[in-house]
Amino acid sequence: MAGAPTVGMATADATWDYRDRHDGFARTYFRAFGDCVVSSIGVGTYLGEPTDAADEAYREAVVEALESGVNVVDTAVNYRCQRSERAVGAAIETADVDREAVLVATKGGFLPFDGSRPDDPGQYVREEYVDPGLVDPDDLVGGRHCLSPAFVDDQVDRSLSNLGLDTLDLYYLHNPETQLQEHSREEVYDKVEAAFEVLERRVQAGDIRHYGVATWEAFRVEPGSETYLSLPEVVERARAAAETVGSAATSLRAVQLPFNIYMADAFTVAAHDTPEGTKSALWFASEAGLDVFTSASLMQGRLASEMPENVAAKLEGESRAQQAVNFARSAPGVTSALVGMGSPEHVAENVNAGTYEPLGAGAFDAVFE
């Protein structure tokens, strides 16, 4: 984005004012995130081609969502070759909503192309990242993923520029389990801790307010899985990183993971050791004070048309899509369920899911009996 960055970050006063101005939702629609309140439905920006038409559709959709009662927007520097971040930035700039009322989350870890896929991706990576010294080839996994401190620092800067912001509310390390393809689990924990040190310093500098870890498999698979990472160990590494850089406390705040009717492992799989025994990712996150943001709430559209009848019968909503969204935000400890909204036509149905109450704890548990 051109021009000066948009100043500010999500604040308690602005988010509570936003909540008060959008009062047509069910009682638990807005939920606490630190001292802020955020919508329990958020905008996801993963899908779509890297085209100008898709950019404009996303911009319009995010504006519509922000003006309709959704104040959580999730993106990543590699989504659609950096175009999703830029579309989100344009939407925040033009929407009739204060910047301080919006929780903006993004991610870094996968090497992003710029605008489109280059004819020679290897040459692009060498010229853009390896030759300038941002990435050592030994730190690059699968030719596409890196958690080295210099790379993470660079990606924060790129995201700030793409979004046109001077502060990111929430910055995730993106799928750190990718590193397990070529490194031992202990080596990956060390890499995560070194990356956390970078993020703690960026918090001190005011460039980031909170950080987290966004995963696809790491926290919801069995400990014996090749893609498993221990959430308790990740928390300990964040505490160590904070101590190293002199922070009074860690700014690790959130995890993102898939959760839907068919991918409920974060609730059902006990994979994380605690003094009270082995617990699920959702249980541990809640006890550790971590906010959970769920991805794949509609399972990339599958749940908009397909759902077990016994589950659908328990969920409120006028459509299968609304019921699926309400299932995701019914899970214990979930702050916000992310839903892809790549066009304005998707927004109204998804946002209106928030006018229905999610399942209570007892009814949610009964789904798995």
Side-chain angles (χ1 to χ4, degrees):
M1 287 178 60
T6 300
V7 177
M9 60 186 175
T11 65
D13 287 347
T15 57
W16 279 94
D17 180 66
Y18 183 91
R19 173 191 180 277
D20 291 343
R21 289 187 289 108
H22 295 89
D23 57 1
F25 294 99
R27 180 178 54 86
T28 61
Y29 175 71
F30 285 98
R31 300 176 182 179
F33 178 77
D35 60 356
C36 299
V37 287
V38 298
S39 56
S40 57
I41 298 172
V43 178
T45 60
Y46 170 60
L47 296 176
E49 296 299 317
T51 64
D52 292 346
D55 291 351
E56 181 58 19
Y58 262 123
R59 187 197 65 79
E60 292 178 0
V62 174
V63 168
E64 179 73 16
L66 291 175
E67 294 179 351
S68 300
V70 170
N71 70 336
V72 174
V73 183
D74 180 86
T75 189
V77 69
N78 66 303
Y79 288 175
R80 302 175 49 256
C81 304
Q82 303 188 57
R83 286 173 175 257
S84 284
E85 281 191 334
R86 292 163 184 165
V88 168
I92 291 170
E93 186 175 40
T94 57
D96 187 21
V97 174
D98 290 342
R99 156 66 185 109
E100 291 80 5
V102 183
L103 176 70
V104 182
T106 192
K107 316 175 190 74
F110 290 101
L111 274 67
F113 298 133
D114 192 350
S116 62
R117 182 179 177 83
D119 294 334
D120 187 339
Q123 179 182 355
Y124 172 83
V125 169
R126 286 192 302 274
E127 293 178 351
E128 189 73 11
Y129 293 105
V130 176
D131 292 347
L134 297 173
V135 171
D136 186 303
D138 291 340
D139 292 324
L140 193 58
V141 170
R144 64 194 184 104
H145 192 272
C146 184
L147 291 181
S148 71
F151 176 73
V152 172
D153 210 29
D154 173 80
Q155 296 300 281
V156 171
D157 289 334
R158 291 183 194 232
S159 289
L160 286 165
S161 177
N162 286 339
L163 288 158
L165 303 178
D166 69 349
T167 303
L168 303 169
D169 299 301
L170 180 55
Y171 189 87
Y172 296 105
L173 292 187
H174 199 176
N175 290 15
E177 65 266 39
T178 307
Q179 292 285 313
L180 291 167
Q181 295 172 11
E182 299 182 17
H183 300 286
S184 71
R185 191 162 283 109
E186 192 63 25
E187 287 173 332
V188 174
Y189 289 138
D190 289 344
K191 290 176 180 292
V192 167
E193 182 176 335
F196 283 169
E197 290 177 13
V198 172
L199 299 182
E200 290 284 356
R201 290 190 177 95
R202 299 305 292 261
V203 170
Q204 291 176 344
D207 302 318
I208 298 171
R209 186 167 187 200
H210 307 287
Y211 66 88
V213 179
T215 70
W216 186 250
E217 293 187 341
F219 299 145
R220 63 185 183 89
V221 296
E222 298 283 356
S225 169
E226 293 181 354
T227 56
Y228 172 79
L229 291 174
S230 162
L231 187 48
E233 179 64 20
V234 166
V235 170
E236 286 304 311
R237 294 306 184 108
R239 290 171 178 160
E243 183 175 354
T244 297
V245 305
S247 298
T250 178
S251 292
L252 179 73
R253 180 80 217 183
V255 294
Q256 185 181 127
L257 43 74
F259 189 84
N260 58 56
I261 293 164
Y262 293 118
M263 301 169 69
D265 318 74
F267 178 74
T268 61
V269 175
H272 304 283
D273 291 334
T274 77
E276 291 78 29
T278 307
K279 302 294 185 179
S280 71
L282 289 183
W283 190 97
F284 180 84
S286 178
E287 290 296 303
L290 296 172
D291 288 84
V292 177
F293 294 77
T294 66
S295 58
S297 300
L298 295 182
M299 209 172 180
Q300 297 188 352
R302 176 180 172 185
L303 288 167
S305 58
E306 176 187 334
M307 184 181 299
E309 288 297 333
N310 65 317
V311 179
K314 296 180 172 67
L315 292 163
E316 292 192 58
E318 295 181 357
S319 67
R320 287 288 187 261
Q322 289 185 346
Q323 290 175 317
V325 171
N326 284 333
F327 179 84
R329 66 191 193 94
S330 295
V334 168
T335 298
S336 190
L338 304 173
V339 188
M341 301 188 200
S343 70
E345 293 74 28
H346 296 157
V347 173
E349 180 179 13
N350 294 328
V351 173
N352 285 339
T355 63
Y356 298 95
E357 289 286 358
L359 292 174
F364 184 84
D365 289 345
V367 170
F368 298 95
E369 293 177 354

